[in-house]
Each structure stands twice: as structure tokens, then as C-alpha cells.
Amino acid sequence: KREIGEAYMRQGDYTSALRELLESEALDPEDPFVHNDLGLCYMAKKRMPDAISHFKKSAELKPSYTPARNNLGSAYLAVEEWDAAITTFKEITKDALYATPQFPLSNLGFAYFQKRDYTTALNYYKEALKIQPDLVNAQVGAGRTYLAMNQGRLALRHLERAVQLSPKTAEIHFYLAEAYLVTGQAAQARASYETVIELAPLESDLALKAKQRLGRSR
């Protein structure tokens, strides 16, 4: 049943996956992998309390199963429970066997950024980038943090790199435009805002915000 549920998940059919996984849970309520899968299904369906409950159960049943903890941390980020996310991701970074510590480190940066503890956020982003210099989220995060600290030149260094790594992401071009604006580079800012408008959905908040900024930067 779990394998069938996971096959449905790979197809993006979370309703069918959920049906199979709930049957699997009924057969073996102590299977940590089923609980993690259930958490992912509920997360996909925006049922965050259920997702958090199953990720917690998975981690309790198998404390060494770090993917469940990582998913739990991501769920806490999604519901803006920054302190709970921080606690969860810090636990993961203590696991010497975890193969990709750059991801929880970058997530810690994001959580501290949201708490406006910019110095701590920056430290975690830098740690993540030491491990993986091309980690886009950490480059963007470091750039946004420097922007929040009014250090436009340093923000530019990270955001220009992020745009190179992910040139089709409208949000990154928006932050880059902001950094150009802060550093007095109006022409570059205009070009980046125009790129945002090209890439973002027509009436999205991001496109509208870029149009507003474009009016001001002329």
C-alpha cells in the first residue's frame, strides 16, 4: 500500500496517495515512512496541522530518520512558526551523518531573517554557501539580508550570482532591482524590474510591485 501511495505521489495525485497511505497506516500505525509520506501529502493539500502531526510522529518513531525532521522544519516555516523551525533545523545540523547540511543551514538563515535577527541569519547563509556555493536559496537569502541591513553593495554580489544560477526566477530579479536601486544604479534597476514584469504572471503581486517601482525609478 505504501509503495502504491508513493507512486501516486510521484504522479502528483495526492488524493489517491492519501487514500492508499491511510490504509497503510491502519495496517501498520508504527511505520515512520508512512507517517512521513502522509505528512508530505497533507502538506501538498495545504493541511498543515495534519502534516506537522505526521512528520512529528515519523520523527518520534525513528529519531534517526532525518528527512522527516527536515520536512517538519519546512512545515513550520510554511506556517511561520519560526522558533519551532529553528529548533528542528538545529537538531538536524547536529547529525554528523546527514549528507546535505547546507539545506537546514539555509533554512535556519531564512527563519532568523524572518525574526529580523540579520546577523545570525547571515552567519547561517554563509555556512550553507561554504558547503555549496551555488545554493540559490542561500545566495538569495544572503542578498536579502544584506539589503535589510542597508548594505547594498554586498547584497548585489549575492543577488547577481543568484540571477546567474536561476535566470528565469522573477523574484530574484526583483531583489536584484532593489539592490541596484539602493546603490544608485537606476538604469540597471529599471532593466531588472522590466525582467520581473516579463517573467512574473501578468497580474501577480510581484509584477504589480515591479510596475510601481518602475514608475518611481524613472
Side-chain angles (χ1 to χ4, degrees):
K1 283 289 180 183
R2 174 160 66 89
E3 289 79 6
I4 298 169
E6 288 172 348
Y8 278 125
M9 286 170 69
R10 285 192 290 274
Q11 294 168 17
D13 184 352
Y14 292 101
T15 301
S16 298
L18 201 53
R19 184 180 60 245
E20 297 293 333
L21 291 166
L22 287 169
E23 287 183 23
S24 184
E25 182 194 15
L27 293 169
D28 184 2
E30 302 296 296
D31 184 338
F33 304 107
V34 167
H35 284 288
N36 185 57
D37 287 344
L38 281 166
L40 290 169
C41 279
Y42 282 123
M43 202 168 177
K45 293 171 82 68
K46 309 294 185 192
R47 290 176 56 176
M48 300 311 296
D50 291 320
I52 287 168
S53 174
H54 282 286
F55 290 140
K56 274 185 179 176
K57 184 71 174 172
S58 179
E60 285 165 12
L61 289 166
K62 191 175 174 65
S64 63
Y65 186 38
T66 308
R69 290 189 185 278
N70 198 54
N71 291 332
L72 176 60
S74 297
Y76 282 135
L77 288 181
V79 296
E80 301 184 1
E81 291 190 22
W82 313 124
D83 290 328
I86 285 166
T87 300
T88 305
F89 287 124
K90 279 185 175 177
E91 286 171 5
I92 299 169
T93 60
K94 292 174 190 170
D95 181 359
L97 297 175
Y98 191 54
T100 52
Q102 63 269 35
F103 298 119
L105 287 167
S106 183
N107 284 330
L108 280 163
F110 180 74
Y112 277 108
F113 176 84
Q114 294 297 334
K115 284 169 65 71
R116 299 185 182 184
D117 183 346
Y118 300 130
T119 303
T120 306
L122 211 47
N123 287 338
Y124 278 114
Y125 283 132
K126 285 179 179 177
E127 286 297 311
L129 289 168
K130 277 183 198 170
I131 299 166
Q132 186 181 338
D134 65 351
L135 184 58
V136 176
N137 285 351
Q139 290 286 4
V140 174
R144 288 185 70 195
T145 305
Y146 277 125
L147 262 181
M149 297 168 80
N150 293 315
Q151 296 186 41
R153 295 281 171 193
L154 291 170
L156 272 178
R157 185 189 304 168
H158 289 281
L159 293 167
E160 285 175 342
R161 178 68 180 131
V163 160
Q164 288 173 355
L165 293 166
S166 187
K168 299 292 184 186
T169 305
E171 195 174 14
I172 302 176
H173 285 279
F174 182 84
Y175 296 131
L176 179 60
E178 300 279 277
Y180 281 135
L181 208 54
V182 164
T183 54
Q185 299 178 71
Q188 290 94 324
R190 281 196 297 275
S192 290
Y193 286 130
E194 282 164 2
T195 304
V196 174
I197 294 162
E198 286 169 21
L199 293 173
L202 199 57
E203 293 302 315
S204 66
D205 287 345
L206 198 61
L208 294 172
K209 213 186 288 186
K211 285 176 186 173
Q212 284 179 341
R213 295 282 208 280
L214 208 48
R216 290 178 203 160
S217 67
R218 289 193 189 283

